[in-house]
Amino acid sequence: SVLNPAASGVAGAVCVSGFGRSQWMGYSDESDNSVNPRTFGLAFDMPVYAIKSGAGLVVRYDMVGYERNLDIRLNYAYHHVFSNNHMLSAGLSLDFQNKSIDFTELYPAEPDPSLTGQALKVRRLIHRDFAAAFREVDLLIGPTTPSPA
């Protein structure tokens, strides 16, 4: 059920799995902070026989450089079993995402002294605008479809 909500509960058992990945081990910035891509997660799904369905939960935490992403996905699947024991399953997911970037750690590879003051001004404006946007909007809702891999 990590990739396809319709797979929730199809195994007919309570399923729990964990996953983790760390690429480019030892990759760090000038301050010796680890900035290599890392992903960790936990997935859970189970059948709900009383309503011919399955339910699941996927929690994924992803770090790439100074970007942090937390993804919590609730999955639901309806299962129709035909007389020959074949199953048709349709699923929906509700996804909560929290994305953040630490802009204070982003610096040009070769700073131009003539742009330093302007760069700091732009950084402050970006920080102020992001902070203002999240003060005014607590929840964004919109339909999405996954793009093909």
Side-chain angles (χ1 to χ4, degrees):
S1 69
V2 172
L3 299 176
N4 184 354
S8 297
V10 168
V14 174
C15 298
V16 178
S17 60
F19 53 91
R21 177 185 72 171
S22 184
Q23 293 180 296
W24 308 331
M25 306 273 287
Y27 190 69
S28 59
D29 65 6
E30 297 81 25
S31 302
D32 208 31
N33 296 318
S34 181
V35 293
N36 62 304
R38 292 163 285 171
T39 303
F40 306 97
L42 183 67
F44 164 83
D45 71 271
M46 62 180 275
V48 183
Y49 294 115
I51 56 173
K52 299 178 183 177
S53 300
L57 172 71
V58 179
V59 178
R60 188 186 79 214
Y61 185 68
D62 188 45
M63 300 173 282
V64 179
Y66 301 109
E67 180 181 347
R68 305 287 184 259
N69 300 304
L70 174 64
D71 184 20
I72 300 172
R73 180 175 299 153
L74 301 173
N75 292 332
Y76 169 78
Y78 175 76
H79 306 299
H80 178 77
V81 180
F82 295 97
S83 58
N84 59 2
N85 274 346
H86 289 132
M87 181 187 292
L88 176 65
S89 182
L92 295 171
S93 65
L94 180 62
D95 201 357
F96 300 94
Q97 296 182 348
N98 180 16
K99 297 181 175 282
S100 64
I101 298 175
D102 185 359
F103 287 102
T104 63
E105 295 293 335
L106 299 178
Y107 297 98
E110 296 179 19
D112 182 347
S114 65
L115 297 177
T116 305
Q118 184 67 18
L120 289 174
K121 180 179 176 183
V122 168
R123 183 178 298 166
R124 283 192 295 271
L125 289 173
I126 290 172
H127 185 273
R128 185 194 70 202
D129 289 347
F130 268 100
F134 287 108
R135 271 195 306 272
E136 295 174 14
V137 178
D138 291 328
L139 177 66
L140 298 173
I141 297 176
T144 61
T145 59
S147 54

